[in-house]
Amino acid sequence: RPAEPVYVPKGENKVAFDVPANYLPESRQQMAPAIVNRFADDTSSKVPVKQISLPDLSVPLQLGRREPFSLFIPKHRKLAARLIDIFLGMQTFDDFLSVAVYCRDRVNPEMFVYVLSVAILNRPDTKDLPIPPLSEIFPDKYIDSGIFARAREEANVVPAGSREPIEIPRDYTASDLDEEHRVAYWREDIGINLHHWHWHLVYPAEADIKIVKKDRRGELFYYMHHQIQSRYNAERLSNRLGRVKRFLNWRESIPEGYFPKLVAGSLNIWPARPASAVLKDINRPVDQLYFDIQDLERWRDRIYEAIHTGVYISPCGERKPLTEFDGIDMLGNIIEASILSPNQNIYGDLHNLCHMAISCCHDPDHRYLEPFSIMGSSATAMRDPIFYRLHGFIDHVFLEHKNTLPEYDLQQLSFPGVIITDIAVQTPNQPANQISTFWTKSDVDLSRGLDFTPRGPVLARFTHLNHTDFTYRIVADNRNNAPRRGTVRIFIAPKQDERGLPFVFRDQKELMIEMDKFTVLLKPGTNIIERKSTESSVTIPFESTFRNLDVNKPIGGDNLEQSNFCGCGWPQYMLVPKGKEEGFRMDLFIMISDYTGDAVEQDEPTGCKDAASFCGLRDRKYPDARPMGFPFDRRVRTDVRTLSDFLISNMAVTQINILHTDTILPRMRSENMSDTLTKSAKS
Ligand code: CUO
């Protein structure tokens, strides 16, 4: 690693690479230097790029520059995996930089950014380098295509410094005639989609085994996507929509249409899927994608068979048990599928190819020369209502496995001598147990992703859900005569279903949203634990999602903390479901589990650990020994009908109310926010 940061030198916010002449693509080598170097004129900082003897790049170059790239397409995963291996195999930082610069203008740009990001995350000499969020590199994946013409006009007519942000309308993909549109603000949220892209970047399904084989990655595939489902269902109930209907019959038409209105890479518009589309067998030479719906059904049935018999078939044909604690991890790799799947001949590539079957249903044999749709990319898939119906099915397959395991007995759940006597959430100047949500406008800079002059920031302003910061207050007695370490586990879940009937525990546990998880040391006697909502183990701050990096400071110290080095994590501003204007009642569940059953002995993590519940820790084991989702991941004890039947002394439940105000407020400190909300409610 270079001693000094080379990407953002002090006092400069732009650098250019000083590239050996033969590194330029052949077509540009003939151009006048002024054209080739037009962006280099903005800066006097040049980073020299070493000329090296280049490795064989013929495999990754098989994907054309203008073709769309998808991690769900096996062929594309293979090409990307080859390039990841090349980038990771470069001996020195300078060699890595050199080959990356050489590839930049030759390799498919989407594949290049994906591979470069995986390499930066995994090379020992680049681990502290920030990765720009994909919304900066490819803003077209997140922002209505109409914005770009306006951005170009703004950049041409108005000098940098005087430009007004371009407002992204809140309702641009559909009207309220489509009831699914009520939750479009959530599905299309830029930060949520960035998190999903980043998660798949941190946990690639295919690359060198050392990169793929991260601790419990298959189980985290299950759990992170399960939590997305729980959160989406709470959002639906907040908007008078029923819970997601699982996509079970792949031969029935799909009632939910989706018209993305985004530009797909180079010039193409992402295809739409009208209502009532039907999946077909896929035969697309362009993507080397050939499979039938029957293949998907066969793989699904074999996976169910493995679950119900409790054994899977190993590569050499042996029957191996799906064990109580590791079975879920194996199953995650089988279903996704990652290269850790033990037997793709038998279990296939179920989830990835379900994504592709949906994303190609408008042109299954490529007769219209259309690219796949947004369900084919992890950067955009969460925008489409069908994503949640597909993942509802996937989630249920995992649940089927969980239901074969023994329920937790009281000894596994209890924490002897520890009693929670009171829990509450507190927001300054608001009644106890009330959380307020509202809208906020934020700006993202599109200029890095817009290749036109004149340069300078071009801001797009988007509206997103937000909430007042709050604090959990927990009173816990430790009746042991020595300190005890415990893990505080905080969840919330809706109280009533779409009919207004109270949930039974069996259904409510599937809707439990993890809000936070942290360790505490309980001294003998009474303990008062206070924890801020901003400290959540599932979220990252706005600045990390969007990398509000101060480009005038060198990277490192505080500035590194703010960078997108830790881009995986649920956006903090989306921590709380929207709720309702008349109030939306949820159960707040808090448990303190016995740390002796939770502890994972390992060195302290270095770097970011903000969103460990969803993203794990870099170079470390997942920091909780319990099955992910504990204590709600197992089947229900026969004596438990409701959540209160489930409670024992180291757990507590209270009712909270999520109150939505349909107003736009700036981001500010929560005390001021409460005042402003009160005033806006009065007016
Ligand atoms: Cu994240 Cu289907 O896995 O999108």
Side-chain angles (χ1 to χ4, degrees):
R1 182 166 27 165
E4 285 292 317
V6 292
Y7 287 87
V8 186
K10 286 177 185 142
E12 279 266 21
N13 63 8
K14 286 204 178 80
V15 294
F17 291 120
D18 200 354
V19 181
N22 64 341
Y23 270 38
L24 294 170
E26 290 63 32
S27 58
R28 295 201 194 153
Q29 288 176 18
Q30 312 306 325
M31 290 179 179
I35 299 174
V36 173
N37 294 321
R38 65 195 163 115
F39 299 132
D41 293 344
D42 295 351
T43 178
S44 55
S45 291
K46 299 270 168 67
V47 176
V49 174
K50 182 177 154 195
Q51 180 145 18
I52 58 169
S53 83
L54 291 155
D56 176 11
L57 294 163
S58 56
V59 173
L61 286 171
Q62 286 171 20
L63 184 65
R65 285 279 287 173
R66 310 261 167 239
E67 288 175 46
F69 167 74
S70 170
L71 284 174
F72 300 127
I73 297 180
K75 171 78 180 174
H76 291 190
R77 283 203 300 275
K78 289 207 165 27
L79 303 185
R82 177 77 193 105
L83 193 56
I84 291 172
D85 290 348
I86 291 171
F87 281 8
L88 292 178
M90 301 313 288
Q91 290 294 316
T92 66
F93 174 84
D94 287 341
D95 291 355
F96 167 48
L97 180 68
S98 178
V99 74
V101 166
Y102 181 83
C103 286
R104 185 190 176 282
D105 288 330
R106 288 179 169 79
V107 170
N108 176 285
E110 291 186 42
M111 183 166 87
F112 174 76
V113 168
Y114 167 72
V115 169
L116 185 70
S117 306
V118 173
I120 288 175
L121 279 169
N122 285 287
R123 281 184 65 92
D125 53 2
T126 53
K127 282 187 174 172
D128 295 337
L129 285 184
I131 301 166
L134 204 63
S135 59
E136 277 188 8
I137 307 171
F138 298 124
D140 49 359
K141 288 194 185 306
Y142 300 93
I143 288 161
D144 164 23
S145 53
I147 295 294
F148 297 102
R150 290 171 54 197
R152 185 185 299 266
E153 188 181 318
E154 186 81 13
N156 273 310
V157 176
V158 185
S162 315
R163 293 174 193 161
E164 285 290 310
I166 301 164
E167 186 101 17
I168 304 175
R170 266 163 79 181
D171 286 305
Y172 69 89
T173 51
S175 72
D176 287 337
L177 276 180
D178 177 19
E179 67 172 28
E180 293 293 326
H181 185 63
R182 286 184 215 155
V183 278
Y185 69 87
W186 196 93
R187 293 194 317 266
E188 292 167 2
D189 181 78
I190 302 175
I192 282 183
N193 280 278
L194 283 173
H195 159 68
H196 185 237
W197 177 75
H198 215 110
W199 190 92
H200 282 279
L201 194 67
V202 176
Y203 293 98
E206 187 157 352
D208 186 280
I209 194 123
K210 293 197 292 293
I211 303 298
V212 178
K213 208 169 179 345
K214 296 196 165 83
D215 185 46
R216 295 167 74 182
R217 58 100 52 215
E219 183 177 7
L220 196 52
F221 172 80
Y222 143 70
Y223 183 62
M224 198 284 293
H225 288 88
H226 167 74
Q227 280 291 306
I228 288 177
Q229 289 297 117
S230 310
R231 288 183 162 273
Y232 185 59
N233 275 320
E235 214 64 34
R236 293 179 70 85
L237 292 169
S238 296
N239 288 281
R240 305 178 312 284
L241 291 169
R243 282 166 285 167
V244 171
K245 292 192 179 61
R246 288 173 288 144
F247 186 35
L248 292 180
N249 183 345
W250 301 331
R251 295 175 189 271
E252 263 176 11
S253 66
I254 302 171
E256 297 86 0
Y258 189 69
F259 292 71
K261 300 173 181 60
L262 299 178
V263 185
S266 47
L267 302 179
N268 284 317
I269 296 288
W270 283 108
R273 187 185 63 255
S276 306
V278 179
L279 302 192
K280 305 264 173 42
D281 298 339
I282 301 295
N283 182 355
R284 288 173 57 98
V286 64
D287 302 319
Q288 298 201 18
L289 209 51
Y290 312 94
F291 63 94
D292 296 342
I293 304 301
Q294 225 174 51
D295 292 319
L296 301 176
E297 290 167 338
R298 204 177 306 113
W299 298 332
R300 174 198 63 196
D301 294 346
R302 286 171 180 168
I303 291 170
Y304 271 122
E305 185 183 319
I307 289 169
H308 293 140
T309 56
V311 288
Y312 66 92
I313 310 290
S314 78
C316 46
E318 288 168 325
R319 293 162 71 82
K320 294 259 179 94
L322 281 172
T323 58
E324 180 177 352
F325 290 98
D326 297 333
I328 185 73
D329 189 45
M330 178 58 71
L331 210 49
N333 288 316
I334 287 175
I335 292 174
E336 186 182 357
S338 79
I339 54 161
L340 303 178
S341 172
N343 204 325
Q344 283 211 30
N345 283 336
I346 292 182
Y347 302 114
D349 194 3
L350 181 63
H351 150 270
N352 292 328
L353 293 189
C354 278
H355 268 271
M356 291 319 296
I358 295 169
S359 74
C360 296
C361 69
H362 57 285
D363 195 10
D365 55 10
H366 202 232
R367 73 179 63 183
Y368 302 113
L369 309 178
E370 282 288 300
F372 53 79
S373 78
I374 59 158
M375 269 295 276
S377 165
S378 60
T380 48
M382 285 184 68
R383 304 172 76 89
D384 191 328
I386 193 66
F387 176 93
Y388 306 90
R389 296 199 54 211
L390 169 62
H391 271 277
F393 154 70
I394 300 285
D395 196 43
H396 201 80
V397 180
F398 288 119
L399 181 64
E400 194 77 10
H401 163 69
K402 288 281 185 175
N403 284 342
T404 66
L405 306 178
E407 59 267 30
Y408 292 120
D409 60 31
L410 292 176
Q411 196 225 329
Q412 285 169 301
L413 295 170
S414 68
F415 192 175
V418 172
I419 296 145
I420 300 186
T421 55
D422 190 35
I423 60 169
V425 294
Q426 295 178 327
T427 308
N429 307 327
Q430 287 198 27
N433 293 326
Q434 178 172 302
I435 302 173
S436 296
T437 69
F438 46 88
W439 305 105
T440 293
K441 291 187 181 193
S442 296
D443 296 343
V444 281
D445 184 4
L446 306 180
S447 56
R448 282 168 207 264
L450 299 180
D451 187 4
F452 52 72
T453 48
R455 309 292 290 168
V458 180
L459 297 178
R461 179 162 293 171
F462 71 107
T463 306
H464 58 83
L465 189 63
N466 204 354
H467 60 271
T468 43
D469 296 340
F470 55 91
T471 305
Y472 306 96
R473 185 173 185 277
I474 305 158
V475 184
D477 284 350
N478 173 7
R479 298 197 181 155
N480 301 289
N481 51 18
R484 287 280 187 277
R485 193 173 289 279
T487 304
V488 179
R489 298 166 189 270
I490 306 181
F491 293 84
I492 59 172
K495 283 182 80 73
Q496 293 178 340
D497 68 12
E498 41 283 88
R499 297 163 298 180
L501 299 179
F503 276 118
V504 293
F505 182 70
R506 179 179 179 278
D507 292 336
Q508 195 184 23
K509 80 179 181 68
E510 294 307 307
L511 299 172
M512 282 288 175
I513 295 172
E514 181 175 337
M515 297 293 275
D516 204 351
K517 181 164 63 177
F518 55 95
T519 54
V520 282
L521 188 63
L522 300 167
K523 63 181 190 320
T526 299
N527 295 263
I528 297 178
I529 303 159
E530 297 205 327
R531 174 85 168 179
K532 294 192 184 104
S533 59
T534 48
E535 295 173 290
S536 167
S537 65
V538 302
T539 62
I540 53 174
F542 184 90
E543 291 71 20
S544 298
T545 298
F546 292 98
R547 198 184 74 145
N548 246 357
L549 188 65
D550 186 342
V551 290
N552 290 314
K553 289 188 198 162
I555 292 175
D558 292 349
N559 207 22
L560 180 61
E561 284 300 308
Q562 284 181 24
S563 80
N564 197 46
F565 162 71
C566 319
C568 184
W570 198 251
Q572 172 66 25
Y573 62 83
M574 296 300 265
L575 176 66
V576 180
K578 175 169 157 254
K580 294 182 177 173
E581 289 183 48
E582 66 273 25
F584 181 65
R585 314 236 164 239
M586 298 187 79
D587 280 323
L588 167 70
F589 168 92
I590 299 184
M591 167 185 197
I592 306 180
S593 58
D594 186 344
Y595 191 69
T596 52
D598 308 335
V600 175
E601 297 305 334
Q602 60 183 341
D603 293 341
E604 265 297 292
T606 53
C608 168
K609 51 184 175 188
D610 274 0
S613 286
F614 275 13
C615 301
L617 296 171
R618 181 175 293 172
D619 300 332
R620 297 285 183 277
K621 291 184 172 166
Y622 191 78
D624 180 4
R626 308 271 184 178
M628 295 181 199
F630 176 82
F632 296 117
D633 61 309
R634 295 289 177 86
R635 70 184 181 207
V636 181
R637 291 197 317 267
T638 48
D639 58 325
V640 173
R641 208 188 80 80
T642 64
L643 180 57
S644 50
D645 299 336
F646 183 68
L647 301 185
I648 50 177
S649 61
N650 55 325
M651 304 174 183
V653 169
T654 197
Q655 181 179 290
I656 59 169
N657 191 22
I658 317 283
L659 201 66
H660 179 67
T661 309
D662 190 13
T663 191
I664 294 173
L665 297 176
R667 241 172 308 139
M668 58 175 104
R669 291 179 58 80
S670 58
E671 301 89 272
N672 307 340
M673 190 83 84
S674 300
D675 286 349
T676 316
L677 269 173
T678 314
K679 279 180 209 142
S680 101
K682 279 183 188 146
S683 65

